[in-house]
Amino acid sequence: MKLTSIITVNYNQPQLTCLFLRSILDHDPLETIEVIVVDNGSREDHGLMFKAVYPQLIYIRSEKNLGFAGGNNLGIGHARGEYLLFLNNDTEITQNFVRALRDELDHHAEIGLISPLILFFEDKHKIQYAGYTPMNYLTGRNKSIGALEDDHGQYDAMTTVTGYCHGAAMMCRKADLARVGLMAEHFFLYYEELDWCEKFKRAGFSMGFTGKAKIYHKESMSVGKASALKTYFMARNRWLFIRRNAPWPATLFFACYYLLIPMPYLIIKHLARGRFDLAKAVLRGMVWNTTHSTTSGDLGIELPAN
């Protein structure tokens, strides 16, 4: 059976990563898989802890935080599998999860990247993701299909083309990366998986969703809902994504729209709530896009110390 490499990134969340590893042992212990944990510049080295849970683990430690894309790209460089399965460490898988995704790629050669049905861990009958709508390049917005619906099995038999895959759980064939390339690391956090989907599309592939595989996601445990770091990268990368992927007329329209409506609204909202740090983060994200190219490796912000 063909080997699948599961890649996950850990950043100062050892207990969460241990639970992730146990879920693989509990639900897919007999699969032909290798599991790769990339430690992304965490304060402490927990390699021995992780290997105590999963003895066959491939553990890679980076001394600096490479971001979501950089961490996963580092894992790709060590992966031997014909299939690459990218999972957040705040997820837990279900029975036959790996095989179900792999089988769908085998039966749909046109799909380059595929994501499963994602349910909230706290409420396992509530849907987070059942596909994405296409991106509106004029506003930089799209929608998550099925979001907050109760799961009654309405997506269980479905495999379909979708707008984008979800970064919490996605699988591709390693061989296809010769045509597509790796994730763009200068996004660092947020929108990098959407940008990667666009690269797959330009290489001639479709994005896939299947309800034949399910995963549980412990949403918003990594960064927090109101951090300056998240606010900055969300503001910066939404515009960066459009600049990299939209036709130039749409890019021009978006720039005018973004500078005149969403950005001022966010700044005023944060100021009204006394969150001057968040208002500053939005402003810095806006300024970055007016002073940097779409390939610049300058993140524009000092990352917090470990």
Side-chain angles (χ1 to χ4, degrees):
M1 190 176 294
K2 296 178 182 178
L3 179 67
T4 298
S5 299
I6 299 177
I7 301 172
T8 195
V9 176
N10 173 74
Y11 178 67
N12 292 326
Q13 296 174 315
Q15 299 299 332
L16 207 58
T17 300
C18 286
L19 291 173
F20 166 82
L21 293 172
R22 289 191 186 103
S23 80
I24 296 174
L25 288 172
D26 290 343
H27 296 99
D28 267 325
L30 301 179
E31 274 296 334
T32 308
I33 61 175
E34 65 176 10
V35 180
I36 301 171
V37 170
V38 177
D39 187 89
N40 222 2
S42 298
R43 287 186 295 270
E44 300 178 29
D45 187 335
H46 291 97
L48 293 178
M49 177 190 295
F50 299 151
K51 288 188 176 184
V53 176
Y54 200 99
Q56 300 81 24
L57 180 71
I58 299 171
Y59 178 70
I60 305 162
R61 179 167 170 81
S62 170
E63 291 304 318
K64 62 180 290 188
N65 187 346
L66 303 174
F68 178 84
N72 278 297
N73 286 346
L74 181 58
I76 291 172
H78 290 79
R80 297 178 298 117
E82 294 186 46
Y83 303 88
L84 304 177
L85 174 55
F86 304 91
L87 296 175
N88 279 11
N89 70 328
D90 62 351
T91 60
E92 294 193 15
I93 70 171
T94 57
Q95 206 71 35
N96 298 318
F97 175 79
V98 176
R99 178 172 298 188
L101 284 177
R102 190 177 59 225
D103 287 349
E104 292 311 301
L105 281 184
D106 284 345
H107 286 98
H108 298 277
E110 74 282 3
I111 291 178
L113 197 61
I114 191 167
S115 285
L117 179 67
I118 302 179
L119 305 167
F120 288 101
F121 181 82
E122 290 77 8
D123 184 348
K124 293 182 172 62
H125 298 288
K126 193 71 69 176
I127 294 172
Q128 179 185 10
Y129 166 91
Y132 277 130
T133 62
M135 183 68 69
N136 183 333
Y137 291 134
L138 300 179
T139 63
R141 292 294 189 192
N142 69 328
K143 294 182 179 181
S144 180
I145 298 168
L148 299 181
E149 289 181 14
D150 290 329
D151 179 25
H152 299 299
Q154 63 268 43
Y155 299 104
D156 284 4
M158 180 185 297
T159 296
T160 186
V161 171
T162 191
Y164 297 90
C165 289
H166 197 294
M170 51 189 184
M171 178 184 278
C172 70
R173 307 172 193 87
K174 188 178 183 181
D176 292 339
L177 298 188
R179 292 168 56 187
V180 176
L182 301 178
M183 295 186 214
E185 297 185 10
H186 60 294
F187 277 88
F188 192 78
L189 194 65
Y190 302 114
Y191 281 89
E192 60 276 282
E193 77 275 20
L194 301 185
D195 182 78
W196 206 32
C197 289
E198 294 283 3
K199 292 176 72 173
F200 270 91
K201 293 175 187 177
R202 288 194 291 271
F205 292 106
S206 299
M207 300 300 95
F209 160 79
T210 183
K212 298 176 184 179
K214 296 183 180 182
I215 198 166
Y216 301 117
H217 190 198
K218 304 166 186 177
E219 175 69 302
S220 295
M221 296 185 69
S222 298
V223 178
K225 295 192 176 186
S227 72
L229 188 69
K230 176 176 180 178
T231 300
Y232 170 76
F233 280 113
M234 287 293 285
R236 168 190 183 265
N237 291 351
R238 182 179 169 192
W239 193 355
L240 176 59
F241 171 83
I242 294 297
R243 291 173 65 201
R244 282 172 56 88
N245 296 291
W248 74 261
T251 301
L252 180 61
F253 180 94
F254 175 84
C256 297
Y257 160 77
Y258 204 42
L259 290 170
L260 293 175
I261 301 177
M263 286 291 207
Y265 169 77
L266 284 173
I267 292 171
I268 293 169
K269 183 180 75 170
H270 293 317
L271 289 175
R273 295 176 177 176
R275 293 301 305 267
F276 300 100
D277 58 329
L278 300 187
K280 182 180 178 181
V282 172
L283 183 61
R284 292 183 70 177
M286 177 178 67
V287 171
W288 187 95
N289 278 282
T290 64
T291 57
H292 291 76
S293 73
T294 59
T295 58
S296 173
D298 179 8
L299 297 181
I301 192 172
E302 184 175 346
L303 298 176
N306 287 344

